[in-house]
Amino acid sequence: MMNKVNLSAITKSVRTALKKHSPEILTGIGIAGMITTTIMAVKATPKALMLIDEKKHEENVEQLTKIEVVKTAWKPYVPTVLTAAASVACLVGASSVNFKRNAALATAYSLSETALREYKDKVIETIGEKKEQSVRDAVIKDKVNKNPVERNEVIITDNGETLCYDVQSGRYFKSDINTIKKAINKLNRQMLTDMFISLNELYYEIGLSTIELGDELGWHIDRGLIDPSLL
């Protein structure tokens, strides 16, 4: 009984891992298949040339027509074509899985953002805008207290001497309100044309280095301009 339970658990774990990493697995198989395809094509070429020479000798001609060459030499390339087709299918499959996952993430993000906006509006309606701001300030204060400046490097940006804290990346830096507002105004104008401004673009404007997710995170014109209070 114990062995059956363990086997079932192992099977489930393997199935879950394969599903989770299917894009990487399919991509790896696809790349390996393309390399194999090249090798097989190289190995098939001498056989194809031999068949062409035999056909020339059989027909007693110096050259075959293009159609005759194809009809004569196609068989050695069959495994190569099948391997290439399977490799392409794996790469397309990996891309399809990634596309579906990204679409699902985008939908989930949109739903979460809508729910958060509705929740915020209801909180303001219930307790008032000033009290809602006080709650938000208290949340930010808690984050700062959990990540005190004494334990962190303060980034000098040459844009001011006011100590600032970036909630998104957990970094302290020196700047001033005018520099930050100027950067936001510039990016808001740019957003009217580009439709989207990434978080890394804001970091660049205020003198901070980019972060790994900074190109994916940001603001879209459909959801409004950059609000300094949300930074």
Side-chain angles (χ1 to χ4, degrees), residues 2 35 56 58 87 89 111 132 136 147 164 185 199 217:
M2 184 64 70
I35 296 173
K56 287 179 182 178
E58 181 183 327
S87 302
L111 291 173
E132 187 274 336
R136 193 190 313 171
N147 189 29
C164 304
N185 289 335
L199 182 59
L217 298 176

Side-chain angles (χ1 to χ4, degrees), residues 67-213:
I67 295 177
E68 288 175 332
V69 169
V70 173
K71 287 182 177 180
T72 303
W74 67 272
K75 287 185 178 179
Y77 290 104
V78 170
T80 303
V81 172
L82 293 176
T83 303
S87 302
V88 171
C90 287
L91 294 173
V92 171
S95 177
S96 176
V97 172
N98 278 325
F99 177 80
K100 290 179 180 178
R101 288 183 179 179
N102 289 337
L105 286 173
T107 301
Y109 174 78
S110 179
L111 291 173
S112 298
E113 186 181 43
T114 300
L116 178 61
R117 190 183 303 114
E118 291 175 350
Y119 178 79
K120 178 184 174 183
D121 292 342
K122 182 57 66 175
V123 169
I124 293 176
E125 179 184 327
T126 303
I127 67 175
E129 189 170 353
K130 290 185 178 180
K131 288 186 178 180
E132 187 274 336
Q133 182 64 50
S134 298
V135 172
R136 193 190 313 171
D137 291 342
V139 171
I140 295 176
K141 184 178 179 181
D142 284 343
K143 289 186 177 182
V144 171
N145 290 337
K146 291 177 182 178
N147 189 29
V149 65
E150 293 81 8
R151 300 178 188 173
N152 293 271
E153 175 189 1
V154 177
I155 301 171
I156 307 300
T157 64
D158 296 328
N159 290 325
E161 292 300 321
T162 302
L163 182 64
C164 304
Y165 179 69
D166 174 38
V167 177
Q168 296 290 342
S169 61
R171 294 180 292 183
Y172 285 93
F173 63 99
K174 291 288 187 71
S175 188
D176 61 57
I177 188 64
N178 290 331
T179 297
I180 296 175
K181 283 185 175 181
K182 182 179 179 181
I184 291 174
N185 289 335
K186 175 183 176 181
L187 294 176
N188 278 336
R189 289 193 299 270
Q190 183 178 331
M191 198 192 310
L192 297 175
T193 302
D194 296 347
M195 308 302 289
F196 176 80
I197 294 295
S198 70
L199 182 59
N200 276 342
E201 288 178 272
L202 176 61
Y203 285 153
Y204 176 81
E205 291 295 331
I206 62 178
L208 294 178
S209 59
T210 59
I211 61 174
E212 186 174 354
L213 292 177

